[in-house]
Amino acid sequence: MKINLNADLGESYGAWVMGNDADMLPLVGSANLACGFHGGDPLVMRQTLQLARRNGVSVGAHPSYPDLQGFGRRRMVMALDELEAAILYQIAALDGMARAEGMRVSHVKPHGALNNAACADRALADSVVRAIRAYDPAMILLAPALSELCAAGHAAGQPVVEEIFADRAYMDDGQLVPRSRLDAMVHGAEASYAHVRRMLDEGAIVSVNGKRLPCRIGSICVHGDGAEAVATARYLRERLAAEGCRLVALPELCD
């Protein structure tokens, strides 16, 4: 079984440090890099790209609403053409930096509130996909399994890899449990692995109430900003490899 392990990285900004990119990058196959709108200033973007290159990790753009103060986790009301331009801007910025480092951006994964909104709102999901296609119709969309964003990508003919979250709990409709709830997060490496293992065994998202929602699973995300992120990613990588899973970069899933 081929599986991808991904993390949201490059989210520091100026003197503000978020996560531990240097320790995460050797553990994942793909990294979703902030593009300046929720984190990731130009120097952080370039330095994270260099770290990814040294570790042989494929990189993707992690565009968000323009919400630095809220770390991109606040829903914003934007006209769709304005949102598409903002997403296109972020993809182009990161890919330009990547080219300067002899790399290319291979995928796009929306961040935070933008991702959550696009998972539930088909018109918004279509807008996200249009922005990606305007830049590169061959670019991979990394989207939560069973989401409207995933459906929009498939409908447009965009390459899509469907992901599950190792450290987030699910509602019965397949959406993530809101962060405002105490049961939103899955804490600890062993608990995260058990959560992932159950979903892989079932071939389905498994909600907090035990509901099974069958889906295709290509990638597993560990949020890079958590205190337990590195330990969780390391444990997942070791356990999955020991069980015969081949951990690959996203482009290899679409070959």
Side-chain angles (χ1 to χ4, degrees):
M1 179 182 180
K2 291 194 295 185
I3 196 78
N4 172 258
L5 190 61
N6 78 83
D8 307 334
L9 302 174
E11 293 179 319
S12 299
Y13 198 91
W16 179 60
V17 177
M18 174 63 77
N20 187 341
D21 295 355
D23 286 347
M24 282 292 286
L25 279 164
L27 303 173
V28 298
S30 301
N32 320 303
L33 305 190
C35 308
F37 277 31
H38 75 278
D41 65 40
L43 181 59
V44 168
M45 289 167 67
R46 189 177 192 191
Q47 290 174 337
T48 312
L49 284 163
Q50 291 168 345
L51 279 172
R53 185 187 62 209
R54 287 199 290 270
N55 285 280
V57 171
S58 74
V59 296
H62 199 35
S64 77
Y65 287 126
D67 180 26
L68 270 176
Q69 291 89 340
F71 195 61
R73 287 181 175 161
R74 300 180 293 190
R75 177 75 183 265
M76 299 180 70
V77 178
M78 299 176 66
L80 293 183
D81 60 346
E82 182 183 12
L83 177 62
E84 289 173 32
I87 295 169
L88 179 58
Y89 179 96
Q90 293 175 79
I91 297 170
L94 184 67
D95 194 45
M97 298 284 263
R99 287 174 184 240
E101 298 300 328
M103 305 170 69
R104 289 298 307 270
V105 169
S106 61
H107 72 274
V108 177
K109 173 186 171 179
H111 166 79
L114 175 58
N115 197 45
N116 293 342
C119 284
D121 183 332
R122 181 56 184 267
L124 187 57
D126 287 337
S127 183
V128 171
V129 172
R130 281 195 299 271
I132 299 170
R133 293 186 68 76
Y135 190 80
D136 185 353
M139 196 167 273
I140 300 165
L141 169 62
L142 180 58
L146 300 180
S147 66
E148 290 293 340
L149 181 58
C150 183
H154 283 304
Q158 197 76 13
V160 178
V161 172
E162 300 176 34
E163 73 170 344
I164 57 171
F165 294 88
D167 48 13
R168 291 295 304 276
Y170 288 92
M171 305 282 283
D172 285 348
D173 62 357
Q175 299 292 313
L176 294 176
V177 173
R179 286 181 179 267
S180 58
R181 284 180 36 169
L182 294 177
D183 59 349
M185 304 299 296
V186 179
H187 294 287
E190 292 186 8
S192 293
Y193 169 75
H195 182 52
V196 165
R197 185 71 265 170
R198 185 177 182 189
M199 289 190 282
L200 292 176
D201 289 343
E202 297 276 359
I205 286 172
V206 180
S207 77
V208 289
N209 296 315
K211 184 174 181 180
R212 294 177 65 261
L213 301 166
C215 62
R216 298 178 63 183
I217 300 170
S219 185
I220 302 162
C221 177
V222 177
H223 285 94
D225 59 324
E228 302 165 327
V230 172
T232 297
R234 181 177 292 111
Y235 191 76
L236 283 171
R237 181 183 181 89
E238 290 172 353
R239 289 296 301 268
L240 291 170
E243 292 166 2
C245 292
R246 190 156 66 89
L247 301 170
V248 300
L250 277 175
E252 190 170 340
L253 290 178
C254 296
D255 288 346

